[in-house]
Amino acid sequence: MDRQEKVVTSLAGSVVEAVGASLAPVDAELARRYPGDPGTRQPVHTVYVPGDDFTADTVRTWGDRALDALDEHAPDAASLARVLGLPGELAGPVHERVRAKLASEPVEDLRIDFEDGYGARSDAEEDEDAARAARLVHEAYENGTAAPYTGIRMKCLEAAVRDRGIRTLDIFLSGLMAAGGLPAGLVLTLPKVTYAEQVTAMVRLAEEFEKAHALEPGRIGFEIQIETSQSILAADGTATVARMIDAAGGRATGLHYGTFDYSACVGVSAAYQSSDHPAADHAKAVMQVAAAGTGVRVCDGSTNVLPVGPTAQVHEAWRLHYGLTRRALARAYYQGWDMHPAHLPTRYAAVYAFYREGLEPAAARLAGYAAKAGGAVLDEPATARALSGYLLRGLDCGALDTDEVARLTGLGRADLESFAIPRR
């Protein structure tokens, strides 16, 4: 017969209540500043296209050019595996899925660029291109040809280009509203942010636009591009990027690392400017810690080595891009920039290999955790969040299928999401 233990306490209920009351402001602050990941899909990349080059068929053109590059330089699974060093068991599934992705959804996130990739134009020319971009984006969402996420990168809010950047933003957003409203996948990028006050100014622009069109407060969010040393470390030695997230008041959706602007800012010579340089690693580590728990996603930068020219040169560029992408994924930078259509095959090959090679061990660990079966590894709720998040990301990008994940884990998507969302 089991013995029933006698429960004894010493703290009065009033003490517990007083402690709760004293920590109520902290509870509220935690909830406000650290709401956790939004649980929405994060694209695996962002494609930048100059504002004057953007057309109605940009997304399809990029997909077709990527397929042409794959057909020319790695036409089958075995040749792609040789170039990238893929294990034999992954070669077929990865090659097949890459081709399918390029045919169906080659671009997950498109940014129409009015900053460095566009340059200085006459006001009339930029006005025209911004208005045309709004029209084409609206039409793409209407006819189902848009990338899941689409928007613009305006010029920054530094004095020399501030008015021009604001005007382009206004023309683009106003054009979308005139055409029928802001699309659900709208993304805006604010580049070259150095002070939190610039983020505050962007918030004001968003607020005023929302008021002018009777939009729900907070409807317009934006990404903050980290391209200067001052955005990482302020003059007083504090982490500026954390201030920027706070200054955004919940509107910040992402932190995007600018590989070449940041590298040049800290004095890295051109030959060594890369997303795996120690200076880049430091900046992104600061970004990652500042964004953790806030719901703001971190995005890696790009490589400027393009997969063009003879096959041997393309293969060398592909190996570089594949390696940088795999390195970023292992460091939890799940998104990066792609600058050329021929980068798409290795973007998706790296992403798909990353998720497919870890599918069975991740699924087994999560299934064991869900069943409380135990095993050689003692997993905690935080690990279950990581495992389910990993599988959800794989599903979102097309690396994994719902049926195979369900078969291996015994869990549906709703179950995965329940594990992935942290509870306070």
Side-chain angles (χ1 to χ4, degrees), residues 149-170:
Y149 300 92
T150 305
I152 66 167
R153 177 170 71 168
M154 58 189 279
K155 288 180 171 62
C156 70
L157 293 180
E158 293 178 355
V161 294
R162 181 183 302 140
D163 291 351
R164 179 64 260 180
I166 293 173
R167 181 171 174 82
T168 296
L169 176 68
D170 191 5

Side-chain angles (χ1 to χ4, degrees), residues 22-42:
S22 70
L23 290 177
V26 173
D27 296 338
E29 187 77 346
L30 280 171
R32 182 181 73 83
R33 290 183 183 273
Y34 303 104
D37 190 87
T40 54
R41 175 184 181 184
Q42 181 180 9

Side-chain angles (χ1 to χ4, degrees), residues 266-309:
V266 297
V268 179
S269 61
Y272 298 98
Q273 292 178 357
S274 175
S275 61
D276 62 352
H277 190 280
D281 284 341
H282 171 259
K284 286 180 286 189
V286 174
M287 293 162 58
Q288 189 175 49
V289 173
T294 65
V296 178
R297 271 97 175 243
V298 175
C299 176
D300 198 8
S302 63
T303 176
N304 60 357
V305 179
L306 303 184
V308 297

Side-chain angles (χ1 to χ4, degrees), residues 98-388:
V98 168
R99 287 197 61 85
K101 183 72 169 182
L102 296 177
S104 63
E105 188 184 72
V107 176
E108 292 196 355
D109 184 26
L110 178 67
R111 206 69 71 253
I112 305 159
D113 191 17
F114 289 93
E115 204 231 356
D116 284 349
Y118 181 78
R121 311 292 180 94
S122 69
D123 284 339
E125 187 176 1
E126 186 159 343
D127 283 356
E128 175 71 16
D129 286 338
R132 183 175 62 89
R135 175 177 59 81
L136 292 177
V137 167
H138 168 74
E139 291 173 0
Y141 274 104
E142 284 291 297
N143 61 32
T145 61
Y149 300 92
T150 305
I152 66 167
R153 177 170 71 168
M154 58 189 279
K155 288 180 171 62
C156 70
L157 293 180
E158 293 178 355
V161 294
R162 181 183 302 140
D163 291 351
R164 179 64 260 180
I166 293 173
R167 181 171 174 82
T168 296
L169 176 68
D170 191 5
I171 290 170
F172 179 70
L173 293 178
S174 296
L176 289 174
M177 290 301 300
L182 305 183
L186 176 67
V187 189
L188 305 173
T189 305
L190 177 65
K192 293 183 175 62
V193 183
T194 55
Y195 281 80
E197 288 81 358
Q198 293 166 326
V199 175
T200 301
M202 185 68 172
V203 169
R204 181 176 181 183
L205 293 172
E207 289 174 342
E208 293 299 329
F209 190 90
E210 289 165 353
K211 291 177 184 176
H213 291 275
L215 295 173
E216 179 184 358
R219 168 65 182 84
I220 299 174
F222 55 91
E223 301 165 336
I224 301 169
Q225 198 152 14
I226 304 301
E227 301 178 89
T228 67
S229 61
Q230 296 92 339
S231 61
I232 294 296
L233 194 68
D236 62 0
T238 58
T240 319
V241 67
R243 293 183 185 177
M244 292 176 180
I245 293 173
D246 188 53
R251 293 179 185 267
T253 58
L255 299 173
H256 282 228
Y257 177 68
T259 303
F260 303 102
D261 281 281
Y262 188 89
S263 297
C265 181
V266 297
V268 179
S269 61
Y272 298 98
Q273 292 178 357
S274 175
S275 61
D276 62 352
H277 190 280
D281 284 341
H282 171 259
K284 286 180 286 189
V286 174
M287 293 162 58
Q288 189 175 49
V289 173
T294 65
V296 178
R297 271 97 175 243
V298 175
C299 176
D300 198 8
S302 63
T303 176
N304 60 357
V305 179
L306 303 184
V308 297
T311 294
Q313 187 171 317
V314 170
H315 285 180
E316 185 176 354
W318 273 356
R319 282 189 287 268
L320 173 65
H321 186 237
Y322 178 86
L324 290 173
T325 302
R326 285 299 308 260
R327 183 180 189 273
L329 290 167
R331 286 159 174 75
Y333 308 133
Y334 298 112
Q335 184 177 355
W337 295 10
D338 287 326
M339 311 302 288
H340 189 276
H343 279 140
L344 300 186
T346 37
R347 169 67 61 182
Y348 290 119
V351 170
Y352 290 176
F354 176 75
Y355 288 111
R356 293 209 63 79
E357 71 187 15
L359 168 59
E360 291 192 6
R365 287 179 67 179
L366 187 59
Y369 177 87
K372 298 181 173 56
V377 179
L378 181 61
D379 286 325
E380 297 185 357
T383 306
R385 289 202 301 273
L387 292 167
S388 56

